Amino acid sequence: MRIIAQGYPAWAFTGGVAYDAALPAVLLLHGAAMDHSAWQWQSRYLAHHGYAVIAPDLPRHGRSPGTVRTSVEALADWAADLLAALGRERAFVAGHSLGSLVALELAMRHPGRVTSLVLAGTSVPMPVGDAFLAAAKDDSPAAHAMQSTWGHARLSQLAASAVPGASLLNASLRLVERAAPGVQHAGLAACNAYAPDPARFESLTTPVTVIAGRYDQMTPPRAGEALAKRIPGARFVLVHAGHSMLSEAPGEVLAAMKTAFAGAPTGA
Amino acid sequence: MTHSPPKPPHPDTLAVHAGQSPDPATGARAVPIYQSASFVLPDTDTAAALFDMEIPGHVYSRLSNPTVAVFEERMAALEGGAAALATASGQAALVLAVLTLMGKGGHVVASASLYGGSHNLLAYTLPRLGIETTFVPARDLDAWREAIRPETRLLFGETVGNPSVDVLDVPAVAALAGEHGIALLVDATVTTPYLGRALDMGAHLVMHSATKFLSGHGTVIGGVLVDGGRFDWDASGKYPTLTEPYEGFHGMVFTEESPVNAFALRARREGLRDLGACLSPMNAFQILQGLETLPLRMPRHVATTRAVAAFLAKHPAALRVHHPDLPTHPDHELAQRLYPAGASAILSFEIAGGREAGRKFIESLSLFSHLANIGDAKSLVIHPATTTHFRMDERALAKAGIGPGTVRLSIGLEHPDDLLEDLSRALRASQK
């Protein structure tokens, strides 16, 4: 689906069915240097179970052209405009990694827009190591390998894949390799720089679910749990996965999302 | 500035562990053989979601199976691919690749140096479905270029041709494929990921007959097709099977579902579903048993092959010896660059005395088994012109580098001295 957000085209996956404006909306935000397909499984399931799925490629990612945004705040405003362009007052919002920060900021900057918030593979702050940032700045293949390797449970290739026949690590590597020059660094730098005033968490009135991967090497579960403790009423869910929990444990993540969305008022 | 990426596990480790966790039900350390046609669907909602690809999982063993999946994931890891599909044979892998990418009106450009079965499929069977192939000399890049037509959808060759043992310049052909927005499929049966990874050289898809070195013991028929995940199907614009809605699966657009796994998704959801050439769990288990020792076996295969090649090169009854590790081979430098650890355990030679001498030679061998296979622990011999490539006419045989006296050897794991003695004796007998 093509949408004009902030005056520029954006592309969003709708889960394999036509977008239905009459259904409650779910906005799914991907992480740095990824695209909508990070949410492949959750998108398709939700789209076939009563939700209007909007899984955009962030600006300059995947099929969305435009200029890469360099801050979480700018991406949150873009996401708000995307929802507005679709005539959506409210939506269920889930974000992964960089997308989780965007989702969190969206809920804090535009509190009326988010019905229920799911933050997967998250931490605030979300520091990124200097070596990783430097490699990404040079668009080095090493940065691609760092993201895909650390983005999964340690030695994930030595275990059975949640998706029969797929190498989740190599598929993720290929996706990162496709990112336009500068995109990976912009996303990682945005994560690294994001430093909201923790007092703002207190103002969140939206139900929040934090999903952490037990084997996450990038946003360790204790960081996700710490964030959940700082958000009033937040639910914390631990899944058997690394940072790429959307594909490493698609069923567990989906179950947590279904619970989160079922307990909230309609997002349409 | 130099950046150091994380170190992945070595191929030896991947060959033993990749794709398998200890069995969650029993704790079994070895890969269990899930000899089950179907898998219980816990409730109707889950069943519907599984059928509609809303959640991953096993439904029916023609589409996926836990034992087969270990083999697939191990091969994806070893080849550096995004996904892999196991098939009933290497032939099935080739059919699956072709039919996933094109239909009637499609065109393939293939190396003339192909396994006879692949040649049969491309030259005789696929034309009945409206898919044509132009065969070109593997080494002639201009011929590859000139053969490409607007309807060309695939370039295809073997990493090391069988039986002529010529080396495909995968990086050069891949660059040509890239220029034209066409995918390159490489049959890496002879080299295996141990000797060289074709995806790293630029190929987009890799296939194997797992019957050969991957399983390594001549006990099983199987194949595998690996999707590298790098080819941009959308940008190419030549692959509507992947980029346009597929009515056979609720209008799914495979590149939308997953840009990097689109090929593998369609190949599984359509190809394995409809063509049905799946691998059995028992065969997957046997291939996995072999795969675990691939990194141990290949160096031995290669070392003995080099000894045999050197022996034959000096033997008066062997007129010409074809192996890329020999400095006299036209692809020697290319082989050194692409396959520094060795360019296969297959070699061929022209025997003095032609067809009749070839017959005597084969019938005088004791250790070498006369049969139509390669990549066994046991050394093998065959006369291609009358067996594996017998459907090819004289012109096609010549194009594939096969003469009436060509003999192909597949070198096994026996002691090199015993093999050399066997060869020496048989060569002597052939000249009487």
Side-chain angles (χ1 to χ4, degrees), chain A residues 158, chain B residues 7-16 78 295:
Chain A
L158 304 188
Chain B
K7 287 183 182 160
H10 291 82
D12 314 55
T13 305
L14 293 173
V16 174
L78 284 166

mmCIF file of all heavy atoms in Angstrom, chain A residues 158, chain B residues 7-16 78 295:
data_model
loop_
_atom_site.group_PDB
_atom_site.id
_atom_site.type_symbol
_atom_site.label_atom_id
_atom_site.label_comp_id
_atom_site.label_asym_id
_atom_site.label_seq_id
_atom_site.Cartn_x
_atom_site.Cartn_y
_atom_site.Cartn_z
ATOM 1 N N LEU A 158 23.434 -22.719 14.966
ATOM 2 C CA LEU A 158 23.675 -24.091 15.428
ATOM 3 C C LEU A 158 22.424 -24.687 16.060
ATOM 4 O O LEU A 158 22.472 -25.788 16.605
ATOM 5 C CB LEU A 158 24.842 -24.115 16.421
ATOM 6 C CG LEU A 158 26.157 -23.515 15.908
ATOM 7 C CD1 LEU A 158 27.290 -23.771 16.896
ATOM 8 C CD2 LEU A 158 26.522 -24.063 14.534
ATOM 9 N N LYS B 7 33.127 -13.381 14.445
ATOM 10 C CA LYS B 7 33.559 -14.601 13.762
ATOM 11 C C LYS B 7 32.435 -15.635 13.782
ATOM 12 O O LYS B 7 32.004 -16.054 14.861
ATOM 13 C CB LYS B 7 34.793 -15.174 14.457
ATOM 14 C CG LYS B 7 36.055 -14.360 14.198
ATOM 15 C CD LYS B 7 37.269 -15.005 14.835
ATOM 16 C CE LYS B 7 38.498 -14.149 14.591
ATOM 17 N NZ LYS B 7 39.578 -14.449 15.534
ATOM 18 N N PRO B 8 32.008 -16.070 12.615
ATOM 19 C CA PRO B 8 30.970 -17.122 12.597
ATOM 20 C C PRO B 8 31.596 -18.470 12.900
ATOM 21 O O PRO B 8 32.814 -18.630 12.809
ATOM 22 C CB PRO B 8 30.454 -17.055 11.158
ATOM 23 C CG PRO B 8 31.617 -16.554 10.360
ATOM 24 C CD PRO B 8 32.424 -15.653 11.274
ATOM 25 N N PRO B 9 30.783 -19.455 13.239
ATOM 26 C CA PRO B 9 31.326 -20.805 13.430
ATOM 27 C C PRO B 9 31.984 -21.301 12.141
ATOM 28 O O PRO B 9 31.564 -20.939 11.046
ATOM 29 C CB PRO B 9 30.080 -21.640 13.753
ATOM 30 C CG PRO B 9 29.042 -20.665 14.173
ATOM 31 C CD PRO B 9 29.346 -19.384 13.459
ATOM 32 N N HIS B 10 33.013 -22.120 12.283
ATOM 33 C CA HIS B 10 33.700 -22.671 11.120
ATOM 34 C C HIS B 10 32.809 -23.702 10.414
ATOM 35 O O HIS B 10 31.921 -24.294 11.048
ATOM 36 C CB HIS B 10 35.010 -23.332 11.547
ATOM 37 C CG HIS B 10 36.035 -22.359 12.027
ATOM 38 N ND1 HIS B 10 36.038 -21.865 13.317
ATOM 39 C CD2 HIS B 10 37.069 -21.757 11.389
ATOM 40 C CE1 HIS B 10 37.049 -21.013 13.454
ATOM 41 N NE2 HIS B 10 37.683 -20.918 12.312
ATOM 42 N N PRO B 11 33.089 -23.945 9.121
ATOM 43 C CA PRO B 11 32.286 -24.938 8.392
ATOM 44 C C PRO B 11 32.258 -26.306 9.071
ATOM 45 O O PRO B 11 31.236 -26.995 9.060
ATOM 46 C CB PRO B 11 32.982 -25.016 7.023
ATOM 47 C CG PRO B 11 33.672 -23.702 6.867
ATOM 48 C CD PRO B 11 34.077 -23.281 8.252
ATOM 49 N N ASP B 12 33.371 -26.689 9.681
ATOM 50 C CA ASP B 12 33.410 -28.000 10.359
ATOM 51 C C ASP B 12 32.367 -28.072 11.459
ATOM 52 O O ASP B 12 31.728 -29.106 11.676
ATOM 53 C CB ASP B 12 34.794 -28.239 10.978
ATOM 54 C CG ASP B 12 35.922 -27.903 10.030
ATOM 55 O OD1 ASP B 12 35.940 -26.755 9.525
ATOM 56 O OD2 ASP B 12 36.765 -28.766 9.797
ATOM 57 N N THR B 13 32.196 -26.952 12.157
ATOM 58 C CA THR B 13 31.225 -26.901 13.248
ATOM 59 C C THR B 13 29.796 -26.868 12.693
ATOM 60 O O THR B 13 28.903 -27.563 13.203
ATOM 61 C CB THR B 13 31.496 -25.672 14.127
ATOM 62 O OG1 THR B 13 32.858 -25.722 14.565
ATOM 63 C CG2 THR B 13 30.577 -25.629 15.333
ATOM 64 N N LEU B 14 29.621 -26.067 11.628
ATOM 65 C CA LEU B 14 28.286 -26.002 11.011
ATOM 66 C C LEU B 14 27.866 -27.375 10.490
ATOM 67 O O LEU B 14 26.703 -27.768 10.615
ATOM 68 C CB LEU B 14 28.285 -24.989 9.861
ATOM 69 C CG LEU B 14 28.483 -23.520 10.238
ATOM 70 C CD1 LEU B 14 28.635 -22.663 8.987
ATOM 71 C CD2 LEU B 14 27.323 -23.002 11.090
ATOM 72 N N ALA B 15 28.818 -28.099 9.911
ATOM 73 C CA ALA B 15 28.493 -29.401 9.327
ATOM 74 C C ALA B 15 27.961 -30.378 10.374
ATOM 75 O O ALA B 15 27.188 -31.283 10.071
ATOM 76 C CB ALA B 15 29.728 -29.988 8.645
ATOM 77 N N VAL B 16 28.364 -30.180 11.608
ATOM 78 C CA VAL B 16 27.946 -31.098 12.675
ATOM 79 C C VAL B 16 26.706 -30.591 13.412
ATOM 80 O O VAL B 16 25.849 -31.375 13.828
ATOM 81 C CB VAL B 16 29.109 -31.295 13.669
ATOM 82 C CG1 VAL B 16 28.675 -32.132 14.864
ATOM 83 C CG2 VAL B 16 30.293 -31.963 12.980
ATOM 84 N N LEU B 78 25.848 -23.742 5.641
ATOM 85 C CA LEU B 78 27.122 -24.072 4.992
ATOM 86 C C LEU B 78 27.349 -23.262 3.718
ATOM 87 O O LEU B 78 28.471 -22.878 3.403
ATOM 88 C CB LEU B 78 27.175 -25.571 4.666
ATOM 89 C CG LEU B 78 27.432 -26.491 5.857
ATOM 90 C CD1 LEU B 78 27.130 -27.947 5.488
ATOM 91 C CD2 LEU B 78 28.871 -26.368 6.347
ATOM 92 N N PRO B 295 33.727 -32.141 5.955
ATOM 93 C CA PRO B 295 35.028 -31.456 6.053
ATOM 94 C C PRO B 295 36.197 -32.408 6.301
ATOM 95 O O PRO B 295 37.343 -32.028 6.104
ATOM 96 C CB PRO B 295 34.843 -30.505 7.252
ATOM 97 C CG PRO B 295 33.365 -30.363 7.413
ATOM 98 C CD PRO B 295 32.797 -31.687 7.008
#
